[in-house]
Amino acid sequence: MKAAVARVLQAVYLDGVARELLRGARRLARDARNRVSSPDSAIVASYFAAHPVPKLHLGCGPHFLDGWLNADQSAASANVLRFDVTQRFPLDDAAFDYVYSEHLIEHVPRAQGSFMLSECHRVLRPGGKVRISTPDLAFLLDLCRPDKSALQLDYVAWSLREWVQDAPHGSDALVINNFMRNWGHQFIYDEWTLRSHLERAGFAAIARCELGQSSDEALRGLQNEGRMPPGFLRLETMTLEATKPA
């Protein structure tokens, strides 16, 4: 009887050891996924060595900002830091004075967008600022107005011509539905929702800004307005700035 009990206890012990080993292996694999690869480590080290006021540009695409650490999930240049904003940023806590993203957060589901903002907060130094530009839900709703401005009418005509070529007739609904689903859009924010997510991430002093304008010189003129016909990016975009409390 004692021998049988001993065998059972040994089996349980070994099974527990095996489980711990498996957990350890999984932790190592997860850490390896989150760790910056060697070429990216060199990009980060080189950037910090040359820039006493570190600034992080998320989702840069081909729009590279001078003086910023440009980052994107798909690198369009050998100097772009590669990572996914829905995962922990491969960057140290309190490392940056500024974080900026333009038309990025709408491309990830809302929960991941909230996580992205919490990561922006983590990598910012106390007193650091984040600037988020994203399509405004109010702009889409306004396209249903019967008294559209000339710019709104031009936008609707351009959208149908460029993106809904099979439309049988002009329709605001076609433009709005295409916008909600095209280009990988996952969630279009209104101002209240984006403010709430920034507050939940720990930010304060949240302010809405005009495109290209800011009370902080470092955050002015960053937008890639040339990627659309004149006035269209301004029509689409809502920009909020917020500060990590000191």
mmCIF file of all heavy atoms in Angstrom, residues 29 99 188 217:
data_model
loop_
_atom_site.group_PDB
_atom_site.id
_atom_site.type_symbol
_atom_site.label_atom_id
_atom_site.label_comp_id
_atom_site.label_asym_id
_atom_site.label_seq_id
_atom_site.Cartn_x
_atom_site.Cartn_y
_atom_site.Cartn_z
ATOM 1 N N ALA A 29 8.769 31.817 -24.826
ATOM 2 C CA ALA A 29 8.308 32.062 -26.196
ATOM 3 C C ALA A 29 7.592 33.399 -26.291
ATOM 4 O O ALA A 29 7.779 34.154 -27.252
ATOM 5 C CB ALA A 29 7.386 30.927 -26.645
ATOM 6 N N VAL A 99 4.363 61.059 -28.379
ATOM 7 C CA VAL A 99 3.897 59.954 -29.219
ATOM 8 C C VAL A 99 2.833 60.516 -30.154
ATOM 9 O O VAL A 99 1.959 61.289 -29.728
ATOM 10 C CB VAL A 99 3.307 58.793 -28.390
ATOM 11 C CG1 VAL A 99 2.772 57.701 -29.317
ATOM 12 C CG2 VAL A 99 4.349 58.207 -27.437
ATOM 13 N N ILE A 188 -14.724 53.369 -35.736
ATOM 14 C CA ILE A 188 -14.651 54.807 -35.972
ATOM 15 C C ILE A 188 -15.133 55.521 -34.705
ATOM 16 O O ILE A 188 -16.246 55.291 -34.236
ATOM 17 C CB ILE A 188 -15.515 55.226 -37.181
ATOM 18 C CG1 ILE A 188 -15.137 54.404 -38.419
ATOM 19 C CG2 ILE A 188 -15.354 56.714 -37.449
ATOM 20 C CD1 ILE A 188 -13.694 54.541 -38.857
ATOM 21 N N GLU A 217 4.903 73.250 -30.150
ATOM 22 C CA GLU A 217 5.525 73.356 -31.472
ATOM 23 C C GLU A 217 5.934 71.997 -32.035
ATOM 24 O O GLU A 217 5.880 71.773 -33.247
ATOM 25 C CB GLU A 217 6.751 74.270 -31.381
ATOM 26 C CG GLU A 217 7.419 74.551 -32.728
ATOM 27 C CD GLU A 217 8.582 75.518 -32.622
ATOM 28 O OE1 GLU A 217 8.838 76.012 -31.511
ATOM 29 O OE2 GLU A 217 9.227 75.769 -33.659
#
